[in-house]
Amino acid sequence: MFSRLAAALTIVAAFIAPAMAADTIKVGAILAVTGPASFLGAPEARTLEMLVADINAKGGVGGKKIELIIKDSQASPEKAISFAKQLIEEEKVFAIIGPSTSGETMAIKNIAEESKTILLSCAAAEAIVNPVAKYVFKTPQKDSDAVIKIFQEMQKRKLSRVGVLSSNTGFGNAGKGQIEKLAPAYGIMILANEVYDKAATDLTAEVTKVKAANVQAIINWSIEPAQAIVIKNARQIGITAPIFQSHGFGNIQYVKAAGAAAEGVIFPAGRLLVADVLPMNHPQKAVLVKYTKDYESKYKDEASTFGGHAYDAFLILVKGIEKANSTDKEAVRTAIENLKDVVGTGGVFYFSPSDHNGLNVDAFEMLTVKNGKFVVLDQ
Amino acid sequence: MLELFFQYLVAGLTYGTIYAIVGIGFNIIYNTTGIINFAQGEFVMLGGMTAVTLYAFLPLPLAILGAVLITMAVGGLIEMVFIRWLVKPSVLRMIIITIGISILVREAALMLWGEGIRSLPYFTGNEISSLSFGGVRVSPQVLWSLGVCAIVVVLLNLFFKFTMLGREMRACAANRDAATLCGIPTRNMVTLSFVLSAGIGALAGCVVSPITQTQYAIGSGLAIKGFTVAILGGLGNSMAAVAAGFILGILESFSIWVMPTAYKDAISISLLLAMLFLRPSGLFGNREAFKLKDF
Amino acid sequence: MRTGRRLHIIILLAAVVAVQLLTLAAGKGFYLTQLTMTAYYSLIIVGLCLLMGYAGQISLGHAGFLAIGGYTSAVLTTMDLSAYKGSALAVALMKLSLLTGRQNLYGGQMLSLHPWAACVVAVLLTVIIAYAIGVPVLKLKGHYLAMATLGFGTIIYSVVLGTQKFGAADGISSVPAFPLLPGLTVSGAPGLRIQNYYIAWGLVACGMLLLLNLIDSRVGRALRSIHGAEDAANAMGVDTSAYKLSTFVLSAAFAAVAGVFLTHFNGGIGPSEASIMKSVRYVAIVAVGGMASLWGTLIMSAVLNFLSLRGYFGSFDDAVFGAILIFIMLFSPEGILQFDVKTMVKKLRVKRGGT
């Protein structure tokens, strides 16, 4: 018994990692690379690795190279907490990019704030930046703006009776909340409001319930593969009403999965997905085209808006360091807070002390699917 | 109103057929070995993923056949490497080992195929085609799943009742030692049960792939549902597992009709548990046999 | 037997102190964070070991009890009761210092229940629910028992995930620190790291002492008789259902305490703590630790949970867990402490020979 305990202790002692050299900027990233949110975390991780390699090849930021430490949280909030503490206290990172999901971000929001570490989250929940925590920022667009875009389109088409379907994730929940909050202002009546499991394998009964409510349009708010199943089932049981998706639809693999059912789906999205057809003088065109090309040639996989959130987070961090011309956390934080006109993949960012997201409704473009491709919705 | 009832029923059958066909796999292995194989869900996943990969250069029927054969080989391999040489393992030990195996298979799938979702094309029609039966609409793929489920059940019944191999497997299930004394190669029977279960799981995975979409992680959720269904039907009875699968699917579907969908799982499980308390031998299990059975 | 047990506890405490000093010396004080979280997970796991190993009842929904404990204390300590300031009950509670005013992170003032009161309520609630579930469920056996506990675990998970009051998918965050005693606070603040480490492992040591005493008493022997042959035990006059129920409730209490403390340490809780995968993980760890070995279970829990929380194996975390499960179950089914190289070699030889 005693010898085994001693053995265990020796093993623990042996895990002592050597300290790393000092003249780099350590950036931590907590991403859900594998596990239930891997469709978010994997592209985000790849994007970060690509960007860091690029920038280091050019000499780094202010002469210092970036050292990227990615931790795979597998979308587990306990791991996110554990890794956040590890990154902050042990690795003494300068900033943390991520996490990928809202639940994890909320779990570490206070940790980052209390330890005065800059956190650039790739998760979408409004609660991340509202109430504003001085050190916490987020790069995905606001859910409320996405909902506004959808409602504006619906008003144009004179649709007022909707059925809402959302998944039981933080993203789905947040969207549902915004829809319910903003509906009265746009004259939208919600006749059906159902929440489904994120891992659902078939949703026929759920869409049947919505069909029975006799709605003029359906809004589906989710970010995982189930969103393709929803639209398939809806068309299969004969719903012909227009279907609106959230900006979580921004990955061509969902269009492929939904096949013919994806035709005509309308959703707000960052312009990444239609970078090719943007006019040459559009402020985001250059950034988007370069990112898409680089990502697709390096990883042989379609670029998605999810990876773009990590791109924006890193871009903002770098710009903040450059603007503050120092690696003092407080200085960089203030610099980020006052960044204006930063052209990213999600939109053009305008930060302020009261707005730690920096994007407004113009960050979105209304897209639709035609012949299996993303196209801009004809006005 | 009636139309709505039948639409919900169809939805319930869709869910149910997925659960039922996973439950059958549990039963076959349990019958021959007394093992609850938590890796059953992974066989379903492997079938779907392999078929999608093969479909890139083979026509659909061959891709499915290839996937089923490959998964059967994997099932047999798993049994031979991990289980064959255990001597009188306890039930819990086997459950833990199969849990470990399911984790490893899942991680291997992640390595091989990445985290993306894939699906086979619909056997007939496409993602939006549906057949109409008096106002009730159903995707043709659901009919395919029901059909495959039915055929599997019928073939299994014939196999176990009328073929020599089937009867030998049943002998193993009834009394392993006696079967050995009769000269039945029990170790091979165990391997065969794994192979058969894997094959059925793979076939299930192929036929429901267009409906559910296949991804490296879908195995564990299916395993839990399959486990639930197999036990509720009364372990060891494949027909009962099928019936229990449909009952669970229909319960879920109708609970969605009348209650907030967010609590669908809680409601259907509660109802099942209520049934279990009233009839602990399972819905169709034999009370006498249940008392004698050795867990 | 008694001195042996005491010696083991002393060895545990010595090891706990030694590890802390070691990390201090090596400048790796932050390992204590993961070690603290590990301690709380180990608390629920050893409680489960009592239930599974000694009473022989499998529970595939135990994470649910941790969740009930954690969520209850989280809800009660984050609920702002300022609106009820004037009511008679509120005034009475404030007099007893059970209801206290405090500041939340963003400078707002709020009135919430003192963590001690919340803790007591949380554990009581879990015990009551465990009792209510246990009465019908423990009448079942084997696979049916497993399935029923799985069912209840699913229900609890489904409820916390689907209810807005519990934060739905995002869970509850901003849970305040838990002032245990003057000078001792359960909190995740880096300055209190060492203190929290000792609180956590102190709790585990107390728990182990309780369980070891239980096992060596009449109760323990009764439990083992139930595990061995329930009908025989019944025939001998052992009130099997009462014993099974009390063990079930006790292990649920362990889980609740772990949940409360973990929630205050982490500053929050999410629905993932109630998931079936977590329950399965706990069962697996008990199995590889040795069903009837509290110490083996504690060691395996400490090792596996620590490695997982450190992210040592990165994305392969699950694969390593699965591999360890299989390895130990194949070669040392009685658990890690019974591992014997000679027996393993013998088994491999038999395998090659084959029958």
Side-chain angles (χ1 to χ4, degrees):
Chain A
M1 166 82 215
F2 190 76
S3 58
R4 284 177 220 263
L5 221 42
L9 282 175
T10 331
I11 295 174
V12 167
F15 284 162
I16 294 169
M20 295 264 358
D23 218 20
T24 56
I25 302 176
K26 276 194 185 178
V27 175
I30 301 176
L31 301 169
V33 184
T34 60
S38 50
F39 44 86
L40 293 172
E44 286 165 2
R46 287 185 221 132
T47 303
L48 282 181
E49 283 167 347
M50 184 177 83
L51 289 174
V52 169
D54 251 1
I55 210 169
N56 282 344
K58 298 197 182 108
V61 181
K64 295 196 189 153
K65 300 230 169 168
I66 303 255
E67 188 191 332
L68 181 68
I69 305 170
I70 298 185
K71 293 281 192 191
D72 180 3
S73 66
Q74 300 184 314
S76 147
E78 313 83 64
K79 284 206 173 148
I81 292 173
S82 173
F83 294 151
K85 291 190 178 176
Q86 254 182 271
L87 289 171
I88 294 171
E89 295 166 20
E90 291 179 47
E91 307 283 354
K92 300 212 187 342
V93 295
F94 180 75
I96 298 181
I97 295 184
S100 317
T101 66
S102 310
E104 296 171 82
T105 310
M106 290 314 291
I108 70 169
K109 180 179 176 186
N110 293 343
I111 296 175
E113 181 71 0
E114 280 165 0
S115 65
K116 298 201 184 353
T117 306
I118 299 170
L119 182 68
L120 293 145
S121 170
C122 300
E126 202 91 359
I128 295 172
V129 292
N130 186 5
V132 169
K134 289 175 60 192
Y135 283 85
V136 178
F137 301 83
K138 81 169 172 94
T139 54
Q141 306 92 335
K142 292 198 183 56
D143 298 324
S144 48
D145 287 337
V147 171
I148 289 173
K149 263 302 233 231
I150 292 178
F151 282 167
Q152 285 173 342
E153 184 64 34
M154 288 173 68
Q155 278 185 327
K156 250 189 244 163
R157 295 169 181 237
K158 309 245 188 309
L159 303 165
S160 61
R161 302 197 317 265
V162 300
V164 178
L165 288 156
S166 55
S167 72
N168 61 4
T169 59
F171 182 79
N173 236 291
K176 173 172 180 268
Q178 290 298 331
I179 292 174
E180 289 164 354
K181 196 164 103 181
L182 295 166
Y186 288 84
I188 307 283
M189 286 186 297
I190 303 175
L191 299 180
N193 197 344
E194 302 302 330
V195 175
Y196 55 84
D197 187 58
K198 59 183 175 295
T201 48
D202 187 82
L203 293 159
T204 312
E206 283 88 345
V207 296
T208 304
K209 199 167 182 183
V210 170
K211 183 180 180 194
N214 241 313
V215 297
Q216 292 174 312
I218 293 182
I219 304 179
N220 175 46
W221 207 276
S222 60
I223 201 162
E224 55 286 307
Q227 56 186 317
I229 297 181
V230 166
I231 55 185
K232 279 196 296 187
N233 290 150
R235 296 290 181 232
Q236 281 162 4
I237 64 165
I239 295 180
T240 49
I243 299 182
F244 291 84
Q245 291 268 37
S246 70
H247 46 300
F249 195 55
N251 187 324
I252 199 82
Q253 71 167 330
Y254 296 135
V255 172
K256 290 203 188 112
E263 292 294 311
V265 164
I266 303 170
F267 68 108
R271 296 185 176 82
L272 178 89
L273 303 172
V274 288
D276 312 321
V277 299
L278 286 176
M280 285 312 269
N281 59 1
H282 194 281
Q284 280 184 278
K285 174 120 181 166
V287 164
L288 290 175
V289 168
K290 178 168 198 304
Y291 171 57
T292 324
K293 225 189 352 204
D294 288 346
Y295 186 91
E296 284 171 7
S297 60
K298 181 160 185 183
Y299 295 114
K300 313 274 180 288
D301 192 22
E302 316 260 1
S304 66
T305 51
F306 311 136
H309 297 323
Y311 181 100
D312 294 339
F314 188 69
L315 178 71
I316 289 164
L317 182 65
V318 168
K319 284 258 185 303
I321 297 175
E322 286 173 354
K323 177 163 178 195
N325 208 356
S326 93
T327 48
D328 169 52
K329 283 190 203 168
E330 177 61 43
V332 175
R333 184 207 77 81
T334 315
I336 294 178
E337 217 177 38
N338 290 302
L339 282 175
K340 312 268 179 237
D341 214 4
V342 176
V343 179
T345 64
V348 182
F349 290 85
Y350 286 85
F351 289 100
S352 81
S354 57
D355 184 0
H356 275 207
N357 170 231
L359 294 173
N360 62 14
V361 77
D362 293 325
F364 281 123
E365 187 79 52
M366 270 323 235
L367 303 182
T368 183
V369 177
K370 220 187 225 170
N371 297 325
K373 290 204 182 341
F374 289 126
V375 299
V376 177
L377 183 67
D378 301 322
Q379 294 308 312
Chain B
M1 190 61 176
L2 194 63
E3 195 181 284
L4 205 56
F5 175 84
F6 280 112
Q7 190 69 60
Y8 277 113
L9 190 65
V10 163
L13 291 177
T14 314
Y15 303 153
T17 193
I18 301 170
Y19 304 152
I21 214 163
V22 178
I24 295 181
F26 268 100
N27 264 314
I28 295 177
I29 293 184
Y30 179 80
N31 260 330
T32 326
T33 64
I35 299 173
I36 300 268
N37 176 26
F38 267 96
Q40 188 61 28
E42 308 307 323
F43 293 142
V44 175
M45 181 271 293
L46 280 178
M49 293 299 249
T50 316
V52 171
T53 308
L54 290 176
Y55 180 63
F57 48 86
L58 285 176
L60 191 62
L62 285 183
I64 295 179
L65 183 65
V68 170
L69 290 174
I70 292 176
T71 313
M72 283 168 105
V74 170
L77 200 67
I78 287 177
E79 196 278 335
M80 288 197 278
V81 169
F82 294 109
I83 299 178
R84 187 163 247 247
W85 47 281
L86 293 171
V87 181
K88 286 210 184 341
S90 75
V91 169
L92 186 65
R93 185 177 169 200
M94 290 319 305
I95 290 179
I96 304 290
I97 292 182
T98 56
I99 290 174
I101 294 173
S102 82
I103 294 176
L104 284 183
V105 171
R106 194 176 69 222
E107 295 297 304
L110 177 60
M111 288 302 119
L112 265 178
W113 286 295
E115 79 281 355
I117 46 169
R118 290 143 209 273
S119 48
L120 285 176
Y122 281 69
F123 293 4
T124 50
N126 67 6
E127 296 86 1
I128 58 175
S129 49
S130 67
L131 303 168
S132 194
F133 296 101
V136 176
R137 311 198 52 164
V138 62
S139 163
Q141 197 64 27
V142 173
L143 297 176
W144 276 103
S145 311
L146 287 170
V148 165
C149 190
I151 293 176
V152 163
V153 168
V154 165
L155 285 179
L156 270 184
N157 259 312
L158 293 175
F159 173 74
F160 280 118
K161 275 218 175 89
F162 298 117
T163 65
M164 191 61 189
L165 209 53
R167 283 204 288 259
E168 284 177 352
M169 283 177 76
R170 274 166 61 211
C172 275
N175 190 328
R176 189 123 165 212
D177 293 326
T180 319
L181 288 172
C182 285
I184 295 175
T186 43
R187 298 189 98 144
N188 292 340
M189 289 300 119
V190 174
T191 314
L192 188 61
S193 69
F194 267 80
V195 167
L196 198 56
S197 241
I200 292 176
L203 186 60
C206 292
V207 78
V208 301
S209 169
I211 302 176
T212 66
Q213 295 165 184
T214 318
Q215 202 217 13
Y216 82 97
I218 62 168
S220 22
L222 287 176
I224 291 180
K225 285 271 159 70
F227 173 68
T228 306
V229 150
I231 296 212
L232 275 155
L235 266 179
N237 186 340
S238 285
M239 295 290 289
V242 170
F246 284 113
I247 291 176
L248 177 59
I250 291 171
L251 268 179
E252 281 184 358
S253 180
F254 281 109
S255 82
I256 287 173
W257 190 3
V258 296
M259 301 260 198
T261 47
Y263 297 110
K264 168 186 88 161
D265 275 343
I267 295 164
S268 45
I269 289 278
S270 306
L271 290 168
L272 288 173
L273 288 178
M275 283 192 227
L276 191 63
F277 292 138
L278 294 172
R279 274 194 74 98
S281 50
L283 295 170
F284 306 98
N286 189 319
R287 271 219 164 93
E288 299 297 322
F290 168 72
K291 289 214 180 94
L292 296 169
K293 244 191 168 70
D294 208 23
F295 291 114
Chain C
M1 183 80 69
R2 283 224 178 143
T3 37
R5 198 190 324 137
R6 288 233 181 88
L7 183 63
H8 285 147
I9 294 275
I10 291 173
I11 293 177
L12 170 67
L13 291 171
V16 165
V17 175
V19 167
Q20 193 261 309
L21 294 174
L22 204 71
T23 56
L24 194 64
K28 299 283 165 185
F30 17 77
Y31 277 23
L32 296 180
T33 304
Q34 282 80 30
L35 285 168
T36 309
M37 289 167 90
T38 303
Y40 291 128
Y41 287 124
S42 303
L43 192 63
I44 175 179
I45 290 173
V46 298
L48 187 61
C49 180
L50 178 76
L51 182 66
M52 279 175 60
Y54 292 92
Q57 311 299 308
I58 191 168
S59 169
L60 278 177
H62 234 62
F65 293 128
L66 187 147
I68 296 177
Y71 264 94
T72 311
S73 72
V75 167
L76 289 175
T77 51
T78 54
M79 215 166 44
D80 188 4
L81 298 166
S82 307
Y84 304 99
K85 214 171 181 161
S87 81
L89 184 63
V91 171
L93 288 174
M94 277 197 275
K95 279 237 177 68
L96 294 168
S97 310
L98 286 176
L99 203 60
T100 50
R102 62 181 182 89
Q103 270 215 336
N104 65 16
L105 193 65
Y106 307 102
Q109 274 288 54
M110 61 184 289
L111 199 65
S112 64
L113 214 58
H114 191 278
W116 258 121
C119 175
V120 169
V121 172
V123 177
L124 269 179
L125 184 66
T126 312
V127 161
I128 293 173
I129 293 179
Y131 190 85
I133 293 178
V135 168
V137 162
L138 291 170
K139 292 200 171 58
L140 303 168
K141 288 201 189 31
H143 300 135
Y144 296 92
L145 175 61
M147 213 249 95
T149 52
L150 183 88
F152 278 109
T154 309
I155 293 174
I156 294 171
Y157 176 68
S158 193
V159 168
V160 298
L161 184 61
T163 310
Q164 218 35 58
K165 266 257 146 42
F166 298 141
D170 288 334
I172 300 179
S173 43
S174 298
V175 174
F178 182 174
L180 264 187
L181 297 166
L184 273 186
T185 313
V186 179
S187 136
L192 298 172
R193 208 189 292 129
I194 296 181
Q195 193 187 97
N196 270 275
Y197 169 75
Y198 281 117
I199 293 175
W201 282 100
L203 203 62
V204 170
C206 291
M208 287 297 282
L209 194 61
L210 179 70
L211 290 176
L212 287 167
N213 274 331
L214 200 67
I215 290 170
D216 265 333
S217 69
R218 247 178 114 209
V219 176
R221 286 192 288 275
L223 288 178
R224 269 177 286 179
S225 72
I226 295 173
H227 189 186
E230 189 160 343
D231 295 322
N234 247 319
M236 292 299 289
V238 175
D239 188 352
T240 49
S241 29
Y243 276 118
K244 284 198 287 189
L245 190 58
S246 5
T247 315
F248 188 70
V249 169
L250 183 66
S251 66
F254 266 67
V257 171
V260 170
F261 276 71
L262 188 66
T263 303
H264 285 287
F265 181 71
N266 281 340
I269 189 167
S272 60
E273 291 289 357
S275 69
I276 294 297
M277 281 305 134
K278 279 244 145 158
S279 295
V280 168
R281 203 182 155 89
Y282 297 151
V283 168
I285 294 179
V286 171
V288 299
M291 298 265 284
S293 166
L294 280 179
W295 288 111
T297 305
L298 184 62
I299 292 174
M300 283 316 292
S301 163
V303 169
L304 287 172
N305 278 313
F306 181 72
L307 291 178
S308 157
L309 286 171
R310 287 293 303 177
Y312 229 81
F313 301 106
S315 304
F316 294 103
D317 185 51
D318 275 343
V320 167
F321 184 73
I324 292 178
L325 275 188
I326 294 179
F327 185 80
I328 294 187
M329 279 291 105
L330 286 182
F331 296 114
S332 179
E334 301 304 315
I336 184 75
L337 287 184
Q338 309 299 329
F339 185 67
D340 192 9
V341 185
K342 283 202 205 119
T343 323
M344 172 173 146
V345 170
K346 216 188 325 175
K347 280 192 181 152
L348 283 174
R349 281 222 192 96
V350 168
K351 174 190 176 185
R352 242 180 273 136
T355 318

